[in-house]
Amino acid sequence: MTTAPATLLRTAGELHALARPAGARRAVVMTMGALHEGHAALIRTARAAAGPDGQVLVTVFVNPLQFGEAADLDRYPRTLEADLAVAVEAGADAVFAPSVEEVYPGGEPQVRITAGPMGERLEGSSRPGHFDGMLTVVAKLLHLTRPDASFYGQKDAQQLALIRRMVRDLDFGVDIVAVPTVRDPDGLALSSRNRFLSAGERRTALALSKALFAARDRLAAQQALHARARTVRRREGRAAALTQLGEARAAADTQAVARARPEVGPAAVRAAAQAVLDEAAQEDVPLVLDYLALVDPADFTEIPDGRGSGEAVLAVAARVGTTRLIDNIPLTLGALT
């Protein structure tokens, strides 16, 4: 792992002059700074993928095109000196931290990447134009850094899906690698915005991850119940067989599942999460829900209650105080038959 200070690059010229080891892989981690352990996990993953002879670049750029409100842009933390320390500790070889004028020398670009229909859903609906701005800067940074692979956190699942789609549709020729969400011990997903939460707001904010975990646990219990029910003799009804085992509650659940299958799968997932969020909305420091959605990870369209199997992402966004937070969890819906 790198032990010397990471090289700080400020211009495209300095970036292009950075020597690239012959035959080695270059990995890039894009950030907006205010680095935390989640970013460090991305850098460590990139370091492992690049290998000891490869090269890991970290970009630090607060992209104005992604912010709908000037106040939100101004509020975003800028901690470059601390970011350099995190980057080098995690294994970065260089940090590219350009100015806005360096990235957009002629002012805001007239030609931009358009996110399309996927970019208008969920986060795109809440933050119009956000994903166009994100894809535009990601495309530009991919061209500037010219990596073999680029690493992104699963916490920003819709962003990740859009980057993958852009790279595929426009033939960028770079591997896009997802890294699992990093959480604090209490379950809150790491975010640069967490620093804005008061102690009371943080307690309320924990409802986001609790809601996701409740949905995950409900789905697991439901699938385990169905798997067990399938092991009983076919000539006995599922509810009757489970009742004989002394599992009256399981029997009742099975009867409900039998009456509503397969729709109960997605519906139960949403309901379990919503119950936690509804409770948090009644706290002294209330959670104000933006959206809760169970979506297809390929295009972020809502999964209908009638779909019983396949990959899914349960995503949530809410505001606590003045801070807006997002979180999500990947799920695999089993065929509940």
Side-chain angles (χ1 to χ4, degrees), residues 7 14 42 80 85 94 97 101 141 148 157 162 229 245 250 253 284 333:
T7 301
E14 292 173 348
L42 288 170
L80 182 57
E101 293 73 23
L141 289 173
D148 297 291
L162 280 163
L245 294 173
D253 283 352
D284 292 337
L333 302 175

Side-chain angles (χ1 to χ4, degrees), residues 232-256:
V232 303
R233 289 173 293 177
R234 292 185 178 276
R235 63 184 178 84
E236 296 179 301
R238 290 180 179 177
L242 289 171
T243 300
Q244 289 177 8
L245 294 173
E247 299 182 13
R249 175 62 185 275
D253 283 352
T254 301
Q255 288 176 327

Side-chain angles (χ1 to χ4, degrees), residues 19 24 30 54 82 87 91 96 112 140 146 148 150 211 213 232 248 267 275 298 327:
M30 296 184 189
F96 179 48
R112 307 187 187 194
K140 186 152 193 173
R146 303 170 187 170
D148 297 291
S150 191
F213 298 156
V232 303
D327 201 351

Side-chain angles (χ1 to χ4, degrees), residues 48-333:
D53 298 325
Q55 192 175 69
V56 175
L57 304 182
V58 174
T59 68
V60 175
F61 180 65
V62 182
N63 179 30
L65 301 187
Q66 293 177 228
F67 291 82
E69 299 178 5
D72 199 22
L73 173 62
D74 293 340
R75 187 186 185 207
Y76 197 87
R78 284 131 168 113
T79 57
L80 182 57
E81 186 174 345
D83 294 343
L84 289 171
V86 172
V88 68
E89 178 66 23
D93 296 301
V95 173
F96 179 48
S99 66
V100 173
E101 293 73 23
E102 182 68 23
V103 176
Y104 305 122
E108 290 195 3
Q110 296 185 35
V111 177
R112 307 187 187 194
I113 300 290
T114 299
M118 196 195 318
E120 298 172 357
R121 299 170 187 139
L122 301 187
E123 284 300 291
S125 176
S126 299
R127 305 167 67 186
H130 167 74
F131 285 126
D132 290 357
M134 178 276 295
L135 289 178
T136 297
V137 80
V138 168
K140 186 152 193 173
L141 289 173
L142 286 175
H143 288 312
L144 287 169
T145 57
R146 303 170 187 170
D148 297 291
S150 191
F151 295 75
Y152 303 88
Q154 179 63 40
K155 187 179 83 70
D156 296 298
Q158 191 173 3
Q159 169 180 285
L160 173 63
L162 280 163
I163 292 171
R164 280 178 163 159
R165 187 63 187 242
M166 176 183 73
V167 165
R168 186 184 74 183
D169 287 354
L170 302 183
D171 297 315
F172 272 62
V174 59
D175 293 331
I176 302 301
V177 182
V179 178
T181 300
V182 179
R183 300 181 181 276
D184 275 331
D186 60 7
L188 189 66
L190 294 187
S191 169
S192 301
R193 299 177 187 271
N194 290 354
R195 68 186 66 197
F196 300 130
L197 297 170
S198 68
E201 289 170 345
R202 185 183 175 94
R203 285 192 292 272
T204 297
L206 292 177
L208 273 74
S209 57
K210 288 178 179 178
L212 298 177
F213 298 156
R216 177 196 62 191
D217 293 346
R218 176 59 179 143
L219 179 63
Q222 197 173 48
Q223 291 175 334
L225 178 63
H226 277 265
R228 188 169 185 182
R230 283 196 297 270
T231 66
V232 303
R233 289 173 293 177
R234 292 185 178 276
R235 63 184 178 84
E236 296 179 301
R238 290 180 179 177
L242 289 171
T243 300
Q244 289 177 8
L245 294 173
E247 299 182 13
R249 175 62 185 275
D253 283 352
T254 301
Q255 288 176 327
V257 168
R259 285 194 298 269
R261 69 175 188 272
E263 293 82 0
V264 72
V269 167
R270 293 187 183 92
Q274 188 67 56
V276 176
L277 297 171
D278 288 344
E279 184 176 345
Q282 304 305 313
E283 296 288 344
D284 292 337
V285 181
L287 179 145
V288 180
L289 183 64
D290 188 346
Y291 62 76
L292 172 70
L294 185 67
V295 298
D296 187 323
D299 58 11
F300 272 67
T301 55
E302 191 79 24
I303 291 177
D305 286 343
R307 180 172 136 188
S309 63
E311 298 303 312
V313 170
L314 183 63
V316 62
R319 191 173 295 274
V320 181
T322 60
T323 304
R324 186 175 184 276
L325 300 171
I326 64 172
D327 201 351
N328 72 85
I329 191 170
L331 298 172
T332 301
L333 302 175

Side-chain angles (χ1 to χ4, degrees), residues 32-59:
M32 291 205 298
L35 302 190
H36 49 65
E37 178 56 29
H39 297 108
L42 288 170
I43 299 168
R44 288 193 295 268
T45 302
R47 177 81 271 165
D53 298 325
Q55 192 175 69
V56 175
L57 304 182
V58 174
T59 68

